[in-house]
Amino acid sequence: MTPRWAAAVKAHGDTAGTRALIEVLLLARHVSHEHLVVGLATALRTGALTADAVALEARKVAQAEDEPTGTAARASATGEATVTFLYEWRLAHLPPDTRPLPSVTHYGQLLRRRRASGGEHREGGAQ
């Protein structure tokens, strides 16, 4: 058992750990081997043993090669092991929500109407 597989099995259990590593292997369809190895090593160092973390770290390395002045290049040059989870990255890149907050005033009107009609509410009974 390789150290990566052992770490994944320890973190997720036998079935889920094996499935996570299979997902990492399937990333090779879309990510170069060198980037995938670096992404896997970074994820292993930080304990983020998910295919999303490996994919994100591999893409950071690929982006750092394209943009040598980027923050990913500085992090890899200093040897820092930082992992940004995919869901955190997605949340950080969402557009601002400009919708108004929901109102609950109509629920208050229902409560006042029920009290005004003198309806009894028995606990545990049908409503």
Side-chain angles (χ1 to χ4, degrees), residues 95-101:
D97 188 5
T98 58
R99 296 176 295 176
L101 291 175

Side-chain angles (χ1 to χ4, degrees), residues 26-116:
L26 291 174
L27 288 173
R29 293 178 175 175
H30 309 287
V31 179
S32 75
H33 174 75
E34 295 80 19
H35 298 152
L36 189 60
V37 169
V38 173
L40 186 57
T42 304
L44 182 63
R45 274 196 315 270
T46 59
L49 301 171
T50 64
D52 284 346
V54 173
L56 189 59
E57 289 305 312
R59 288 182 183 124
K60 280 183 181 179
V61 172
Q63 184 180 16
E65 288 179 359
D66 294 340
E67 302 170 8
T69 60
T71 57
R74 285 193 298 271
S76 62
T78 60
E80 294 176 18
T82 59
V83 172
T84 304
F85 290 95
L86 190 56
Y87 70 90
E88 291 174 349
W89 183 87
R90 286 178 179 159
L91 286 176
H93 289 81
L94 284 176
D97 188 5
T98 58
R99 296 176 295 176
L101 291 175
S103 172
V104 292
T105 56
H106 58 282
Y107 292 112
Q109 293 170 357
L110 290 173
L111 290 173
R112 281 193 294 274
R113 237 185 264 156
R114 186 171 183 174
R115 285 187 199 134

